[in-house]
Amino acid sequence: MTVVPLVDEGLGNSAYLVDLDDGRALAVDVSVGLRAAGAVAARRGLTVAYAADTHLHADFLSGARQLAASQGAEILASAAGRRAFGHRGLHDGDEVDLGGLRLRALGTPGHTHEHLSFVLLDGTRPLGVFTGGSLIVGAAARTDLVSPDRTESLARAQYTSLQRLAELPDDVAVWPTHGAGSFCSAPPGADRVSTIGRERATNPLLRAGSEDAFVKELLGSLGSFPPYFLRLPEINRRGPAILERAPFLRPLDAAAVRRMEAEVVDVRPAKEFAAGHVPDALSIPLRPAFVSWLGWLAPADRPLVVVRGPGQDADEIVWQAAKIGYTFAGELLGGTDPETATTQLVAPGPLYGTVLDVRQDAEFRAGHLPHAQHIELGALVGRIGEVRREPVVVMCGHGERAMSAASLLERGGHRQVAVLVGGAEDWAAATGLDLETG
């Protein structure tokens, strides 16, 4: 038996493919693209016989239904999730014979109300547990995605679930879905997997002195999350559409793009966008975090058209978007409209006018320029009117999020907008001045 983690750096998640040593495999928490799972399965000569989902995912479309259609996989999921498509609905304590190994369902509500963890057993010996959004490396996943009025009660359920998982033997592997970079609340760090013993010894939430202390610490760690998180659980409950063919980018000319009143998403690097872009285009540079920012900033109710550079992979763009339920109407031929706009880039050093910092709250508190205005990028669409006087210099950690913010400001009517090349530490090094914290 071999467990192969399939890490999605952009979403901060891991899926898993378990080679059952008989030509069959179990897939856990795979997204709809299936490219990584498909590549591993093909390389190892495997057919996916089982597709298990730990919960109704908010951050990606489940690939379980696609695996059922393409490979005949049996879908394993919580009966409490009321999924509206064929699956084996499992309750706490139910077991599935995988042909030598067994999979036992553990009811672990908290991250969602219907959350299951799956213990992989060899006879009576637990080898590891797929914990989804329950116990994760160094933390536990957020409990505020179901509804605001259930956040605290789910946090208390999460406490009970973690205590139950902690009763497993020390050497049991912990295979969580959410990891560093996930907006489902995971601390920074390189480790994606762990063991029960390590988590019992080091996880602050497992070491909380009481349920109340646990709830206070968990709820105090919650940050913002993309709005598409509120849409995807119901899509996953109904069943994502089965893809009959791979998505692709259809070439479109500028006139066609204007006729369809499309949102133009420019995925080129920030410096290329700055040098010339379609007026009012939304800059979201193609990088691991592209898909999260696409879901945060791009509208779900308008056609989307891509502008990409010659070296950027069209398949990567469309599959990243497909993971969260977005499709593109096509791509703009030639890359830009005959009419172009530019955005100024400024080097670290003395800055004039308003400095707008669009990083997440925790990043801003850790160190920011004195007197900088702070609005998270994800909130900027609804708060452009709050941005102080022009000129405005936008900054983040490296420049990509700042360029996205600048494109939003320019579309909102701001004309003297520049982007800082680099981040707060670069500015401090260039000026010799100290950053503020808090």
Side-chain angles (χ1 to χ4, degrees), residues 264 266 268 276-278 306-309 331-337:
V264 176
D266 194 320
R268 295 175 300 154
H277 56 265
V278 176
V306 168
V307 171
R308 64 182 174 111
E331 66 173 319
L332 182 59
L333 280 173
T336 59
D337 191 286

Side-chain angles (χ1 to χ4, degrees), residues 109 252 280 421:
L252 298 167
D280 295 337
V421 178

Side-chain angles (χ1 to χ4, degrees), residues 87-157:
H87 67 287
R88 188 194 297 196
L90 300 176
H91 301 84
D92 180 53
D94 286 349
E95 293 189 359
V96 178
D97 183 357
L98 303 178
L101 299 175
R102 290 179 295 123
L103 201 66
R104 177 184 296 160
L106 286 185
T108 48
H111 182 47
T112 67
H113 62 287
E114 42 73 58
H115 192 286
L116 290 179
S117 295
F118 294 107
V119 181
L120 189 63
L121 297 151
D122 183 4
T124 60
R125 182 169 68 95
L127 304 174
V129 56
F130 299 100
T131 56
S134 191
L135 177 63
I136 60 180
V137 179
R142 65 193 310 149
T143 63
D144 59 340
L145 300 179
V146 175
S147 67
D149 61 340
R150 298 187 65 180
T151 297
E152 182 174 337
S153 63
L154 286 172
R156 294 187 181 280

Side-chain angles (χ1 to χ4, degrees), residues 47-306:
T47 298
V48 179
Y50 305 95
D53 272 348
T54 57
H55 60 288
L56 289 167
H57 303 290
D59 46 349
F60 61 87
L61 291 182
S62 168
R65 192 161 181 252
Q66 190 75 27
L67 281 171
S70 63
Q71 299 200 33
E74 181 178 15
I75 299 173
L76 310 175
S78 170
R82 300 183 299 107
R83 288 162 175 80
F85 52 91
H87 67 287
R88 188 194 297 196
L90 300 176
H91 301 84
D92 180 53
D94 286 349
E95 293 189 359
V96 178
D97 183 357
L98 303 178
L101 299 175
R102 290 179 295 123
L103 201 66
R104 177 184 296 160
L106 286 185
T108 48
H111 182 47
T112 67
H113 62 287
E114 42 73 58
H115 192 286
L116 290 179
S117 295
F118 294 107
V119 181
L120 189 63
L121 297 151
D122 183 4
T124 60
R125 182 169 68 95
L127 304 174
V129 56
F130 299 100
T131 56
S134 191
L135 177 63
I136 60 180
V137 179
R142 65 193 310 149
T143 63
D144 59 340
L145 300 179
V146 175
S147 67
D149 61 340
R150 298 187 65 180
T151 297
E152 182 174 337
S153 63
L154 286 172
R156 294 187 181 280
Q158 188 77 300
Y159 172 81
T160 302
S161 294
L162 261 65
Q163 295 299 313
R164 185 181 190 193
L165 288 165
E167 294 173 356
L168 291 167
D170 280 356
D171 62 349
V172 170
V174 174
W175 298 309
T177 300
H178 302 309
S182 167
F183 287 109
C184 283
S185 296
D191 291 341
R192 297 281 179 179
V193 299
S194 186
T195 65
I196 292 294
R198 175 183 167 189
E199 291 307 304
R200 192 185 295 114
T202 63
N203 190 316
L205 290 175
L206 274 177
R207 296 170 66 84
S210 67
E211 180 178 311
D212 287 341
F214 174 94
V215 171
K216 182 178 180 180
E217 185 164 350
L218 178 61
L219 297 188
S221 70
L222 300 179
S224 54
F225 60 85
Y228 75 88
F229 274 32
L230 301 176
R231 298 193 300 269
L232 293 198
E234 177 59 15
I235 297 174
N236 280 323
R237 190 196 69 80
R238 295 198 309 265
I242 295 170
L243 301 177
E244 302 296 339
R245 59 175 173 79
F248 66 98
L249 292 177
R250 179 166 60 101
L252 298 167
D253 60 26
V257 172
R258 284 192 290 269
R259 283 195 303 271
M260 66 175 60
E261 298 182 353
E263 174 88 17
V264 176
V265 179
D266 194 320
V267 305
R268 295 175 300 154
K271 288 184 179 180
E272 293 182 27
F273 181 88
H277 56 265
V278 176
D280 295 337
L282 174 60
S283 172
I284 310 180
L286 183 62
R287 62 198 193 282
F290 165 74
V291 63
S292 291
W293 292 113
L294 179 72
W296 212 320
L297 303 176
D301 57 355
R302 286 178 59 193
L304 302 181
V305 171
V306 168

